[in-house]
Amino acid sequence: MFNLFKKRLDLFPSRYISKLCLALLLLSGNVAAMSDQALFEHARDAYAKRNELALAEDVNQLNEQQYILAPYAAYWLMLLRLDQAENAEVQAFLTQYADMAFVDRLRGEWLKKLGKKQEWSLFFEHHQNFKRADTAVECYALYGKSQLEHQDVATQVKKIWLSSADLSSSCTPLFDAMQQAGVLSTSDIWARLRLALHDGQLNVAKSIISRLPSFDKNNLQLLDVAKQTPKLLLTNKTVTVKINNKKTALKTPSFKARDDIEVNLYALDVLARSNIDDAVAVNLQLQQQWSKPDAAFAWGRVAYHAARKHHPQALEYYAKAHEASLDKEQLAWMARAAMRAHHWDVLLEAISKMSAEQQQEGAWRYWKGRALKEKSILVEANKILGPLSTERHYYGWLALEELDSVMNSPQLQYTPSEIEVTAIASQPAIKRAFELQKLDMRWEAKAEWVWATRDFDDKQLLAAAEYAQRQKWYDVAISTADNTKQLHDFNLRYPIPYRDLFRAAAVNENVDEAWIYGLTRQESRFMHYAKSGVGASGLMQLMPATAKWAAQRMGLSDYTHDMIHDLKFNVGIGTYYMRYTLEVMNGQAVMATAAYNAGPSRARRWVADEPLEAAIYVETIPFGETRSYVQKVMANAQIYAPRLGLPVQSLKARMGTVPGRITSEVILADVE
């Protein structure tokens, strides 16, 4: 009978076999006969169901069988027991599994428990070993220091406080104590309220308001009006709101009290997000009512939204806000508006106002060097562009070209030996990572891999990347090779798997194969099972609706949703859509890449009235994710071209020029 069942198993996909075995073994009650993997999956299910008794039994058996992932089951059991566990038991566990990837996560949860109970001596003994970034733990640490050691923690507290993020409730005791002690002043509370409001975090803002007893309760109601109908609030004397299901007329805010002003500024910000011209008109009417600092702040917000919308008068609005203290994003968009208008002096001014940290970002080093070059200040420009040109990223490639150098295929600086690769493969942590990967525990697998390679030098990183690539774990191979500092292997950073598939698709759709590889590397890093948070799937991260639409246009009448996971179909549909976006964008690859990520209508919306250098078009894409995406895809394609034996050209030539709005609209009308 068993032999017959075993033969029938061959008919099932391998991913179902362990679950079938598990179900049968559970039905027979023969848990001890499970395979290591089946028993581990049983333990994982027990943890998910918070079945401590079943999990404890599984842990014992996994330990007896010396399964490589047994420590993970023990970790899950400790998490379930953590609230009741004695401190000595937790300490012993941390010591026993000190070399495991999960140990710091457990330490963090235990520190939160200790912090909540204010067991400060033990907390600080173990806090020094905590390596992860966790705001809740940090808040407990600062609270403990202020209570136990009476240390001056004001600077650190304010750094956490001045954020629009919805912070952990673990921070509340710290903030309460700091407010009571005067460390968090009323000005600090107003500052965070303004930050939350203008970052669109209305719920966070309302929680902050609870610390301001002077905030009028009617204004609390009016914040919701400001979010929904900002122009109505700013231009009328009264508005109607629902309170306890009854319509109530409320006076709109004046410009006298601080809470009135913040509501009005928030309303103006919301209005500017949707309609710049209305926001400008309303703001001009309000000039006599704002104080001088508030007027500058208001223009700063209008200018920021105008720049993101590529409004032609954005720089004029920035000029009106010259006395305001502009934040990081406002300065970035002042710079982008200036480069779009070719106002190099204003671009340099915006960069000069950035923090030292922001100025060191690759983008602003490149554009500062570029602006200086445009002004013929060549010595100073080259002082910036020279060092930047040695860095291996998009802005480094652009800087290299500004120095009149064309990037050829990067030479392989180091290739790991077989002995080095074997040494990596034999490490227990590496083995655990691959075992987790086999079980589709991909987040844990990557965490284990990162932990295993955290202290590797360049040679070890390249050996690890080589081993991952041989196992077809391409995304991990790429990220590991990307982490090297001095020694590099661009074959590992830019692999060419599925070559026959991509070459055939490139020929079939008449699309640049380097561009296909560049886009796929960015989309999925060649992992066919990749799935995004919004539902995109496969190597080319196709959205279901896009795949269905493309399949219909291609005449595939038998299309089903499951086909999106088929490698050949996924690449075929993806390259078809790439060709479509390229045709719609009149052959402009940068615009087509933006369209692939954010949609054709947005890509069109971002063009200027006049032809625009593609690098400026990309830099002024309003969505940070799409901006980074396009930069990386184009840089990837630039590197892939020589690897694939295709003609070498400069990155600027590959990106080209984005046609002006009038020309684009004529061409697009013809296509559509």
Side-chain angles (χ1 to χ4, degrees), residues 272-291:
R273 287 177 188 272
S274 58
N275 192 314
I276 289 296
D277 292 335
D278 277 359
V280 170
V282 170
N283 196 31
L284 287 171
Q285 294 172 10
L286 299 175
Q287 288 305 291
Q288 299 304 313
Q289 300 190 65
W290 297 125
S291 68

Side-chain angles (χ1 to χ4, degrees), residues 408-412 469 478 489-497 499 503 513-514 517 521 526 636-648 654:
N408 292 309
S409 179
Q411 295 192 358
L412 308 182
Q469 181 164 294
I478 291 169
D489 186 335
F490 279 77
N491 284 339
L492 294 172
R493 289 192 182 193
Y494 297 89
I496 49 175
R499 183 69 198 276
R503 184 192 288 118
E513 188 182 358
Y517 265 102
R521 183 186 188 271
F526 306 107
N636 290 347
Q638 179 73 2
I639 295 172
Y640 269 115
R643 286 221 62 209
L644 299 169
L646 301 175
V648 176
R654 176 177 292 279

Side-chain angles (χ1 to χ4, degrees), residues 310 333 335-342 344 347 366-367 370 374 394 398 590 606 608 611-621 627 631 655-656 658:
H310 305 145
W333 278 100
R336 291 182 181 119
M339 71 178 69
R340 200 170 170 96
H342 291 171
W344 305 112
L347 172 56
Y366 170 73
W367 286 109
R370 175 70 185 281
E374 293 289 342
Y394 170 83
L398 287 179
V590 162
W606 299 331
L612 196 64
E613 177 189 337
I616 295 177
Y617 171 89
V618 174
E619 196 66 53
T620 56
I621 290 174
R627 186 187 320 127
Q631 290 171 349
M655 294 173 69
V658 173

Side-chain angles (χ1 to χ4, degrees), residues 5 35 54 58 60 121 185 234 266 349 351 473 501 521 538 551-552 574 581 616 618 634 646:
F5 171 70
S35 69
D58 292 339
N60 289 334
S121 178
S185 66
L234 289 166
Y266 172 60
E349 178 191 351
I351 294 174
W473 200 0
L501 196 60
R521 183 186 188 271
Q552 289 174 342
T581 59
I616 295 177
V618 174
M634 300 311 295
L646 301 175

